[in-house]
Amino acid sequence: MIFDILTLFPSMFEGAFADSIIKKAVDNGFVSISTHNIRDYSDDVRHKTVDDYPYGGDAGMLLKPEPLARAITAARERLAGKTPLVVFMTPAGRLLNQGIVKELAARDSLILLCGRYKGIDQRITDQYVDMELSIGDYVLSGGEIPAMAVVDAVTRLVPGVLGNMDSAETDSFHSGLLSHPQYTRPEVFEGVSVPEVLISGHHANIKEWQRQKSLEITKERRPDLL
Ligand code: 9D3
């Protein structure tokens, strides 16, 4: 999987992929991630302008279409031979869920476009964008953190990235339920014991307790998942 990220703030991504599962996935060649500054595709070499006032006189600025068109075209050229999906991160997009993550993970490459300001010229959305994605109903400052969430969630589904320990199979969202409570040592912590069944060694009872707890918690907190 190749992620080609278009942003006005490439440095925001520096720390995000430098550790843990994503770093390992990159180091082992399962995914590659590059960031590209939209400002490098500006018309004017002098001021590197990428924004302009909206027609209709609303407050705020929009990302101009020309630099975005050039940035997306350049990304497509970098991905020659691949069939990238152009994904625009926007609060007005489809709400990301694990089903969409699976859809994205089936592609060979993704061009992730991060918006800023009040948005982008609609002609870019109409002519260049394949999918619009939101990560939730709260206001962020731009599409960068949402793009990081997409890279993280999709990378976990690339075959070979996860070991058996943390496999996508045993993941709570794979079963469609929330996780049951979990405990590690010590057996008594601040006077509170680990549930008896978990130290019983009775494997079938443990599985049944875990399934029951998962159902209970899901019914209580996220009935929409059932
Ligand atoms: C102009 C009024 N705003 C509507 C509330 C528009 C707006 C545009 C861009 C508000 C925030 C942003 C910046 N956010 C994103 O680009 C974004 C986002 C988000 O804020 N929440 C959840 N998912 C996403 S994906 C991109």
Side-chain angles (χ1 to χ4, degrees):
M1 170 66 68
I2 305 177
F3 299 98
D4 195 295
I5 302 170
L6 308 178
T7 171
L8 285 169
F9 301 99
S11 66
M12 282 184 72
F13 294 85
E14 278 168 19
F17 307 135
D19 291 292
S20 188
I21 288 174
I22 303 207
K23 176 178 162 45
K24 232 191 265 175
V26 171
D27 289 349
N28 293 330
F30 292 115
V31 305
S32 87
I33 307 169
S34 62
T35 57
H36 306 273
N37 197 330
I38 294 164
R39 201 170 290 283
D40 294 342
Y41 300 93
S42 165
D43 305 298
D44 68 310
V45 274
R46 275 179 62 80
H47 300 97
K48 305 248 181 223
T49 310
V50 291
D51 59 346
D52 206 343
Y53 299 95
Y55 281 109
D58 288 349
M61 304 287 273
L62 295 180
L63 290 179
K64 290 160 60 68
E66 302 95 325
L68 291 173
R70 276 199 288 276
I72 295 167
T73 299
R76 283 196 179 283
E77 283 164 9
R78 286 190 288 272
L79 295 167
K82 304 278 180 189
T83 52
L85 195 73
V86 178
V87 179
F88 173 43
M89 307 312 302
T90 166
R94 285 166 76 188
L95 193 53
L96 185 65
N97 59 35
Q98 195 64 16
I100 298 173
V101 172
K102 280 182 195 162
E103 230 179 275
L104 299 179
R107 310 291 304 208
D108 58 27
S109 52
L110 298 172
I111 296 170
L112 302 179
L113 174 60
C114 306
R116 281 269 155 174
Y117 304 95
K118 292 285 174 178
I120 70 176
D121 189 286
Q122 183 61 33
R123 290 165 291 188
I124 293 299
T125 310
D126 294 343
Q127 308 299 324
Y128 287 84
V129 169
D130 299 313
M131 184 188 286
E132 298 174 77
L133 274 187
S134 163
I135 64 163
D137 296 335
Y138 38 86
V139 181
L140 298 169
S141 312
E144 284 78 11
I145 289 171
M148 291 175 204
V150 168
V151 170
D152 189 284
V154 169
T155 295
R156 298 171 54 80
L157 294 190
V158 172
V161 165
L162 292 189
N164 253 353
M165 275 290 292
D166 191 17
S167 85
E169 303 301 308
T170 58
D171 217 300
S172 70
F173 269 104
H174 190 81
S175 68
L177 299 177
L178 300 180
S179 301
H180 51 74
Q182 300 189 92
Y183 300 85
T184 182
R185 292 187 294 180
E187 198 174 311
V188 180
F189 170 69
E190 296 185 350
V192 184
S193 293
V194 171
E196 192 69 43
V197 61
L198 296 181
I199 39 187
S200 69
H202 194 301
H203 191 66
N205 284 357
I206 292 171
K207 281 280 158 251
E208 177 51 26
W209 180 86
Q210 291 175 336
R211 202 188 62 85
Q212 196 52 47
K213 283 291 178 191
S214 278
L215 267 173
E216 231 172 74
I217 289 164
T218 307
K219 212 179 295 179
E220 174 69 25
R221 300 187 189 176
R222 295 294 308 278
D224 57 297
L225 294 178
L226 290 173

